[in-house]
Amino acid sequence: MNATFARFEPQVHSLFRVITGLLLFQFGVAKLFKFPPVPMFAKVEPFSLFWCAGSIELILGGLLILGLFSRVAAFLLCGEMAIAYFMEHAPRNFIPLLNGGENAIMFCFACLYLACAGGGPYSLDAVLRGKKG
């Protein structure tokens, strides 16, 4: 069983990076471009904290999707998600299930993993290093 799953690790690693980037990218699009319309992001003002967060998610999420500067992008996103959790969620309640901070925690640790593991074999980082998947 282990050998069967281990065989797909390189592909799943890169897929995990793409999906994580895509999910963060969608938050940036929703905050900055109001698409899809989400009531929570309906009144995001330019240069507000939510606007800055959306810009980070849009740009760095896009870099994660492409696998370009993956470690740096993931490290910065990890920090952003930690800040989001402690500024927005933790003051409401310590328990994530009660404060709505599950996504922020999951994104924080997903990005921490990607910062340590890199973009994987199917990334622009790997192409620039001259490695093939």
Side-chain angles (χ1 to χ4, degrees), residues 68-118:
L68 185 62
F69 307 117
S70 301
R71 290 180 191 270
V72 173
F75 181 74
L76 294 171
L77 284 163
C78 174
E80 183 211 5
M81 291 295 106
I83 291 168
Y85 180 78
F86 286 109
M87 283 183 72
E88 184 69 24
H89 301 285
R92 287 190 237 152
N93 194 305
F94 179 74
I95 301 169
L97 189 59
L98 300 177
N99 69 24
E102 307 93 341
N103 283 343
I105 291 172
M106 285 299 295
F107 279 128
C108 180
F109 282 91
C111 289
L112 178 61
Y113 169 75
L114 290 171
C116 294

Side-chain angles (χ1 to χ4, degrees), residues 8-125:
F8 296 104
E9 189 272 332
Q11 296 88 346
V12 173
H13 178 130
S14 294
L15 182 62
F16 179 73
R17 184 203 76 245
V18 171
I19 296 302
T20 301
L22 206 63
L23 289 170
L24 287 160
F25 185 83
Q26 78 170 345
F27 278 98
V29 170
K31 288 173 185 170
L32 300 179
F33 304 115
K34 312 292 187 256
F35 182 80
V38 179
M40 183 170 52
F41 304 138
K43 296 181 181 183
V44 174
E45 298 292 328
F47 302 103
S48 67
L49 192 58
F50 269 76
W51 185 90
C52 290
S55 299
I56 290 169
E57 292 155 2
L58 183 77
I59 294 166
L60 299 181
L63 288 176
L64 274 187
I65 292 167
L66 298 172
L68 185 62
F69 307 117
S70 301
R71 290 180 191 270
V72 173
F75 181 74
L76 294 171
L77 284 163
C78 174
E80 183 211 5
M81 291 295 106
I83 291 168
Y85 180 78
F86 286 109
M87 283 183 72
E88 184 69 24
H89 301 285
R92 287 190 237 152
N93 194 305
F94 179 74
I95 301 169
L97 189 59
L98 300 177
N99 69 24
E102 307 93 341
N103 283 343
I105 291 172
M106 285 299 295
F107 279 128
C108 180
F109 282 91
C111 289
L112 178 61
Y113 169 75
L114 290 171
C116 294
Y122 302 103
S123 64
L124 288 179
D125 289 337

